[in-house]
């Protein structure tokens, strides 16, 4: 790899992590006025950030397999989750508002809104319920983005967020039911 490419990657990572730190200082301000970030750079820096979060989760889990999963697979699953949520907001948001927002704008918003969920994942081995709290904060930040950055009316933004929230809660309840059924089958 030539020196220019190494410098570019290093500068991208440093700049991206500095922006993430600034985001953590004022997440509501960033969600109200979304930055114009190149999608490729966001994926690169975001993937590196997710690898760090996954590593932290693995260390907190005290499992070598969890560390490997966190470094190598969590960035893909985290970015895939953001991509799917972005598709949801892109189609629902543009359909309901007859807007013309780009998928990239929704991806940027979803990624930054998901940062609290990702950070809560890192400490979830110690406090399992914190993942739900991280999701609530992420939903609040995404609502802020819908209202202020995408100019979607508050009642409609609430409905969009609540519909996604309902899907997540339904998935969580189905997972609990499946886990309960598995326990019943094992002990019977």
């Amino acid at each position: 790899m030539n020196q220019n490419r190494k410098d570019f990657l290093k500068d991208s990572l440093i700049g991206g992590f500095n922006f993430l730190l600034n985001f953590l200082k004022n997440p509501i301000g960033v969600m109200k006025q979304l930055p114009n970030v190149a999608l490729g750079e966001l994926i690169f820096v975001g993937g590196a950030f997710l690898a760090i979060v996954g590593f932290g989760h693995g260390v907190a889990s005290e499992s070598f397999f969890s560390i490997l999963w966190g470094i190598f697979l969590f960035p893909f699953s985290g970015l895939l989750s953001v991509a799917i949520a972005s598709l949801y907001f892109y189609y629902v948001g543009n359909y309901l508002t007859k807007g013309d927002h780009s998928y990239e704008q929704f991806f940027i918003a979803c990624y930054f809104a998901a940062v609290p969920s990702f950070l809560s994942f890192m400490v979830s081995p110690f406090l399992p319920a914190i993942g739900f709290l991280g999701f609530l904060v992420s939903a609040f930040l995404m609502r802020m983005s819908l209202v202020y950055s995408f100019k979607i009316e508050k009642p409609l933004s609430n409905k969009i967020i609540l519909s996604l929230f309902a899907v997540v809660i339904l998935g969580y309840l189905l997972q609990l039911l499946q886990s309960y059924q598995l326990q019943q089958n094992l002990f019977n």
Side-chain angles (χ1 to χ4, degrees):
M1 192 180 297
N2 64 23
Q3 189 61 34
N4 289 340
R5 181 169 275 184
K6 286 181 185 177
D7 289 341
F8 172 75
L9 293 176
K10 181 177 134 187
D11 291 343
S12 293
L13 281 174
I14 291 170
F17 281 109
N18 284 336
F19 184 81
L20 278 172
L21 288 175
N22 288 334
F23 167 77
L24 292 173
K25 291 177 186 174
N26 185 13
I28 293 174
V30 171
M31 297 309 289
K32 284 184 174 181
Q33 186 69 37
L34 284 175
N36 189 13
V37 179
L39 196 56
E41 190 170 346
L42 178 64
I43 290 171
F44 174 66
V45 173
F49 171 71
L50 290 175
I52 292 168
V53 168
F55 175 78
H57 175 80
V59 169
S61 298
E62 298 178 346
S63 166
F64 181 71
F65 177 74
S66 292
I67 291 172
L68 290 178
W69 179 85
I71 293 171
F72 296 111
L73 296 178
F74 183 66
F76 294 111
S77 66
L79 289 172
L80 181 62
S81 298
V82 169
I84 292 170
S86 302
L87 275 175
Y88 172 79
F89 286 113
Y90 172 73
Y91 285 113
V92 170
N94 280 334
Y95 176 76
L96 292 177
T97 64
K98 305 206 182 344
D100 61 347
H101 302 289
S102 71
Y103 175 77
E104 289 82 10
Q105 290 174 307
F106 281 105
F107 188 91
I108 291 166
C110 285
Y111 181 82
F112 286 119
V115 167
S117 289
F118 295 143
L119 290 174
S120 69
F121 175 73
M122 191 165 27
V123 295
S124 65
F126 302 121
L127 301 165
I130 198 145
F132 187 70
L133 179 63
F135 180 74
L136 286 175
V137 173
S138 292
F140 172 76
L141 289 176
M142 191 62 200
R143 181 190 170 277
M144 298 298 291
S145 180
L146 291 175
V147 171
Y148 294 102
S149 292
F150 295 101
K151 308 294 186 226
I152 297 175
E153 296 174 6
K154 286 181 184 180
L156 185 56
S157 294
N158 291 341
K159 289 178 184 176
I160 292 170
I161 294 295
L162 286 175
S163 67
L164 181 63
F165 193 74
V167 169
V168 170
I169 293 296
L170 181 63
Y172 180 72
L173 291 175
L174 287 174
Q175 181 184 9
L176 281 177
L177 178 64
Q178 189 178 31
S179 173
Y180 177 75
Q181 288 175 340
L182 181 62
Q183 285 178 348
Q184 293 299 316
N185 290 338
L186 287 174
F187 293 114
N188 287 333

